Amino acid sequence: MADGDLPALVDELEHVTTELQAIEVQIQELLERQQELIQSKRALKTKIQRLSEGAGTSADTEASSEDWKRQDFPWSQQVQEELRASFHLDSFRTLQLETINATMAAKDVFLIMPTGGGKSLCYQLPAVCSKGFTLVICPLVSLMEDQLMVLQRLGVSATSLNAASSKEHVRWVHGEMTDRQSQLKLIYVTPEKIAKSKLFMSRLEKAYQAGRLARIAIDEVHCCSQWGHDFRPDYKTLGILKRQFPNAPLMGLTATATSQVLRDAHKILCVQRPLTFTASFNRPNLFYEVRLKPSSSSDFIEDIVKLINVRYKGQSGIVYCFSQKDCEQVALSLQGLGVRAGTYHANMEPRDKSRVHTLWTDNKMQVVVATVAFGMGIDKPDVRFVIHHSMSKSMENYYQESGRAGRDDQRADCILYSGFGDIFRISSMVVMENVGQQKLYDMVRYCQDLRRCRRVLIAKHFDEVWDSAQCNQMCDTCSSERSCEAVDISDYGRAILQILRRAADLEEKLTPLKLLDAWSGRGAPKLRLPQVPPPKLPRPQLERIITHLLLQQYIREDFSFTAYATISYIKEGPKATALRGPDHQIILHMRDSTTAQVRSPASSTSRASPLPSRQKSSGSGDHKRPPPPQRSPKAKKSRSSPDASIVID
Ligand code: ADP
Ligand code: MG
Ligand code: ZN
């Protein structure tokens, strides 16, 4: 071959390489689209299944919920009157009338409605409009008390039975249950009452036989299922109710029910084909945002204080923290900087808790810095922000917690600070829970996602099918101009695995932080890789890469239990061997600002490089076909072949 051909050949090689890379991008986009379609298919199948399960007769389908909205039932007039007279409300909210009509028609009903949607009215109003009493199962005494307080104020006769009830009170309630003259409309009990009190069950039996048990409402019905975020063993025993009292209509209510949880609940409660009403989980007035947690705690506090004192000046909000210690520290720092803040966590005296709750409700305290203990029953309408100091332990939890914002339908913000260390703190905490880690990783996936609409991600989690166009730019992804770029991180992955193998040979266990140190050329020299220079990326990007490898199972967590703590170490994951193949690629999306740094690779040996810039995705969450391949003078030589396996975030 003539010498003069060399530049032409080099040119052609570059051309071919560029085209190959473009094909990779297309494959990747198609794979992504495939994933989306698979998910949509799954969600649609679930919906269809849910509908057909709920369909006893053709009228019993969700699609016919219009029929349940009618106002010409024999009870319609009374229901309307009591709505005004007893509850002082003018109109029904979404799905309330349907649910009330269905239960008045003695159907078994499941109502899935976001927190704050107004589920309680759906059994309280029918209780007032029916003969006899309604039995309400409620998981927490505090929740019962909140509802009883409201009912008492409205003058609706209701009471509760729990472990703290006096003998006289118990006797009185038992008497009322069978007394035909009784005006008692609602009896709230904890599930343990059903599970453990034979006496109470025998009274229920008598009341049922006397036609006094109007219906049974099971609030927070997801507590039945281990798949829910709030499993309570006593809920498992509630199947006895439908078996013993088959003719008393049952109503299950929850804010969080994936199809799996619902199916579980049907089985556990022995309800055959409940009519299911599902309200959308979309909260159009909430703005969702995920931020990177600043690494210095003083920067972090400053960030939060700025938000509270500037953007939310004088407005009410919640800061959720991982631990009581975090709560106390954050509250102290906020107070020190002039913010009216108080703490709320499980270890406080009930008196102090209710003091904080009241001050906050009355707007005498701007912010409650709380653990998840500040939860069910919090119903302040004008919460303008919910800040997560750490991510939640599951998407269900996050939805619930962030959902306390904006109950008045005015705009409110949900800001989540995502931090690398938090993954492992929470992981060590949930390790003993059945599906704890799986749920946490779903949460982490949500935080890692730079490209999809937050609403689409949330909707997917709850088996809803959603289109990012409906977001109305009410999330960071949809409203952001920032684009991101697909980056090949395979060599980084290989370096990480090399470090892990080296550590294993040395019988050293690596915590995530130690791994990060060794990779960035810090810490014990024996753990570092002498032949691979540390990557020249900012730390958050290194964390992002490790997190990605974890979610994709190239690496995994391995827990060590001591008397004092559970420690998470990093080991090779089940997919580590795949990365041994030279053509296996892992692609991760990075923000532009960071990919600029990736452009100058860490070393000549590093193959990590951005793919051609045309594969930037705008982050709209929509699928876009990549433009046709172009020649790029910057394109680097790629060893990948078209059949290389590509793994994307
Ligand atoms: P959920 O149990 O779904 O979380 P709740 O039953 O506690 O919600 O109700 C939340 C709030 O909404 C309560 O303050 C309640 O008074 C209010 N609410 C319920 N129904 C209506 C309605 N039809 N109109 C106005 N407010 C309502
Ligand atoms: Mg409720
Ligand atoms: Zn969006």
Side-chain angles (χ1 to χ4, degrees):
M1 202 170 286
D3 272 357
D5 286 340
L6 188 60
L9 286 177
V10 170
D11 206 36
E12 195 181 335
L13 174 64
E14 200 174 284
H15 190 92
V16 169
T17 307
T18 311
E19 198 167 331
L20 273 176
Q21 286 180 331
I23 290 173
E24 269 164 27
V25 175
Q26 291 182 10
I27 294 174
Q28 180 200 322
E29 297 249 355
L30 286 171
L31 283 171
E32 262 173 46
R33 184 65 186 146
Q34 185 190 35
Q35 278 306 313
E36 275 179 24
L37 289 172
I38 289 173
Q39 291 222 24
S40 297
K41 185 176 167 187
R42 210 179 289 152
L44 284 167
K45 275 170 100 174
T46 313
K47 248 196 166 149
I48 290 168
Q49 189 179 357
R50 212 191 264 176
L51 282 175
S52 50
E53 274 178 6
T57 69
S58 64
D60 280 8
T61 64
E62 203 164 359
S64 70
S65 70
E66 272 308 306
D67 291 346
W68 290 110
K69 233 180 155 166
R70 281 172 21 222
Q71 301 262 25
D72 57 357
F73 290 104
W75 52 82
S76 290
Q77 199 188 340
Q78 191 191 3
V79 162
Q80 278 298 337
E81 280 168 15
E82 295 293 354
L83 177 70
R84 288 203 179 85
S86 289
F87 293 89
H88 311 310
L89 295 171
D90 300 324
S91 57
F92 288 109
R93 287 192 183 157
T94 314
L95 292 182
Q96 283 181 327
L97 182 58
E98 290 88 329
T99 309
I100 289 170
N101 280 333
T103 191
M104 290 298 286
K107 301 281 180 198
D108 292 332
V109 187
F110 265 59
L111 175 62
I112 300 119
M113 185 186 265
T115 306
K119 288 184 286 296
S120 335
L121 187 76
C122 298
Y123 54 83
Q124 290 170 347
L125 181 51
V128 172
C129 297
S130 304
K131 283 205 185 83
F133 66 90
T134 294
L135 177 72
V136 185
I137 319 286
C138 200
L140 296 177
V141 174
S142 63
L143 270 186
M144 289 180 197
E145 284 172 351
D146 288 347
Q147 293 206 21
L148 287 174
M149 220 165 63
V150 175
L151 291 171
Q152 197 178 9
R153 226 181 288 146
L154 294 169
V156 174
S157 174
T159 190
S160 72
L161 283 180
N162 57 59
S165 304
S166 68
K167 271 201 181 113
E168 297 75 58
H169 181 68
V170 174
R171 207 173 304 129
W172 175 76
V173 176
H174 285 176
E176 293 290 299
M177 285 167 76
T178 46
D179 179 358
R180 284 182 198 283
Q181 307 304 317
S182 166
Q183 290 305 305
L184 191 58
K185 286 296 163 201
L186 293 128
I187 302 176
Y188 286 76
V189 299
T190 49
E192 65 176 343
K193 200 85 205 162
I194 308 293
K196 307 208 171 98
S197 170
K198 290 203 178 64
L199 183 57
F200 181 70
M201 278 306 284
S202 89
R203 296 307 297 183
L204 264 185
E205 189 78 60
K206 286 211 172 67
Y208 177 73
Q209 276 154 12
R212 301 237 339 117
L213 179 59
R215 63 180 48 79
I216 301 165
I218 303 180
D219 210 355
E220 315 291 347
V221 74
H222 61 276
C223 295
C224 285
S225 166
Q226 300 209 21
W227 286 97
H229 58 98
D230 243 342
F231 173 60
R232 298 199 179 223
D234 281 335
Y235 264 73
K236 282 252 177 216
T237 61
L238 295 180
I240 186 84
L241 293 172
K242 198 71 213 175
R243 289 199 302 271
Q244 291 297 103
F245 317 122
N247 296 327
L250 185 142
M251 183 186 291
L253 308 104
T254 177
T256 33
T258 56
S259 49
Q260 204 170 17
V261 171
L262 280 184
R263 271 200 301 276
D264 235 15
H266 294 171
K267 223 186 299 157
I268 290 162
L269 297 177
C270 306
V271 267
Q272 293 284 320
R273 287 171 164 175
L275 207 58
T276 303
F277 294 110
T278 311
S280 171
F281 277 76
N282 182 26
R283 301 274 312 273
N285 60 317
L286 299 189
F287 186 95
Y288 294 101
E289 181 180 355
V290 176
R291 296 187 179 196
L292 207 60
K293 194 168 185 164
S295 52
S296 114
S297 56
S298 60
D299 287 354
F300 187 19
I301 282 291
E302 213 173 286
D303 231 36
I304 294 181
V305 170
K306 218 184 277 165
L307 278 174
I308 295 175
N309 270 345
V310 181
R311 199 198 281 186
Y312 307 115
K313 195 164 179 59
Q315 297 179 340
S316 191
I318 308 173
V319 177
Y320 274 111
C321 295
F322 169 71
S323 66
Q324 298 176 6
K325 207 170 127 218
D326 285 356
C327 276
E328 273 152 14
Q329 277 172 353
V330 171
L332 269 180
S333 310
L334 290 179
Q335 287 158 0
L337 293 162
V339 180
R340 285 171 303 146
T343 51
Y344 191 110
H345 55 69
N347 249 359
M348 283 162 53
E349 292 293 325
R351 196 165 26 100
D352 295 332
K353 281 198 231 170
S354 76
R355 191 184 60 89
V356 169
H357 189 180
T358 312
L359 282 174
W360 180 70
T361 309
D362 297 343
N363 288 326
K364 290 184 181 132
M365 179 182 278
Q366 187 189 358
V367 192
V368 180
V369 187
T371 61
V372 290
F374 195 58
M376 291 184 192
I378 304 297
D379 185 31
K380 190 176 196 298
D382 58 349
V383 177
R384 293 275 72 81
F385 62 93
V386 172
I387 295 174
H388 273 77
H389 180 271
S390 301
M391 67 183 85
S392 308
K393 66 175 190 168
S394 72
M395 285 295 287
E396 285 90 342
N397 280 79
Y398 183 63
Y399 182 82
Q400 292 271 8
E401 289 150 23
S402 59
R404 304 209 162 94
R407 297 247 172 120
D408 55 6
D409 293 337
Q410 303 298 307
R411 170 168 170 146
D413 295 343
C414 307
I415 300 176
L416 185 159
Y417 283 94
S418 147
F420 181 66
D422 291 335
I423 302 173
F424 308 99
R425 283 210 293 171
I426 303 173
S427 202
S428 315
M429 181 184 76
V430 300
V431 62
M432 301 307 267
E433 291 172 26
N434 213 352
V435 282
Q437 198 175 45
Q438 203 177 319
K439 286 175 160 291
L440 172 64
Y441 285 5
D442 281 347
M443 179 82 248
V444 178
R445 239 172 239 119
Y446 173 86
C447 297
Q448 278 270 108
D449 205 308
L450 299 177
R451 297 177 311 136
R452 269 160 280 213
C453 167
R454 301 282 165 207
R455 283 195 155 64
V456 169
L457 293 171
I458 294 172
K460 259 184 194 150
H461 191 83
F462 292 109
D463 282 339
E464 271 191 54
V465 182
W466 252 79
D467 174 359
S468 59
Q470 288 171 272
C471 178
N472 259 328
Q473 307 224 320
M474 284 292 281
C475 84
D476 52 355
T477 320
C478 293
S479 65
S480 160
E481 293 287 297
R482 284 183 298 180
S483 56
C484 52
E485 198 165 11
V487 177
D488 177 0
I489 60 158
S490 327
D491 275 352
Y492 292 140
R494 292 190 178 93
I496 297 274
L497 290 174
Q498 248 180 297
I499 295 171
L500 291 176
R501 275 175 219 136
R502 191 184 176 86
D505 289 344
L506 294 166
E507 297 192 354
E508 286 271 345
K509 285 178 164 183
L510 291 187
T511 61
L513 288 183
K514 260 197 178 165
L515 170 64
L516 194 59
D517 275 349
W519 188 28
S520 22
R522 290 191 308 263
K526 63 175 179 180
L527 295 172
R528 304 183 207 163
L529 299 177
Q531 65 287 27
V532 183
K536 291 200 176 64
L537 287 176
R539 186 176 165 131
Q541 293 312 318
L542 300 184
E543 294 175 346
R544 184 168 165 74
I545 290 170
I546 294 183
T547 307
H548 185 68
L549 295 173
L550 181 69
L551 292 177
Q552 296 290 337
Q553 300 190 321
Y554 292 99
I555 57 177
R556 68 179 171 88
E557 287 182 90
D558 185 62
F559 296 93
S560 170
F561 302 92
T562 74
Y564 309 101
T566 307
I567 303 166
S568 163
Y569 294 107
I570 300 292
K571 292 242 167 100
E572 274 189 68
K575 259 170 54 187
T577 44
L579 204 47
R580 288 196 171 142
D583 287 336
H584 188 84
Q585 271 196 307
I586 314 171
I587 308 282
L588 175 63
H589 282 84
M590 305 264 209
R591 285 261 191 257
D592 264 3
S593 60
T594 57
T595 44
Q597 314 220 23
V598 184
R599 273 176 201 288
S600 47
S603 71
S604 55
T605 56
S606 170
R607 204 155 56 80
S609 66
L611 294 168
S613 57
R614 64 182 158 278
Q615 70 184 99
K616 278 181 189 181
S617 56
S618 68
S620 66
D622 295 335
H623 170 65
K624 292 200 187 72
R625 280 192 71 87
Q630 294 165 2
R631 296 189 60 176
S632 156
K634 274 195 194 152
K636 292 189 177 59
K637 186 180 169 188
S638 164
R639 280 196 283 143
S640 52
S641 56
D643 63 350
S645 39
I646 298 178
V647 184
I648 51 167
D649 65 323

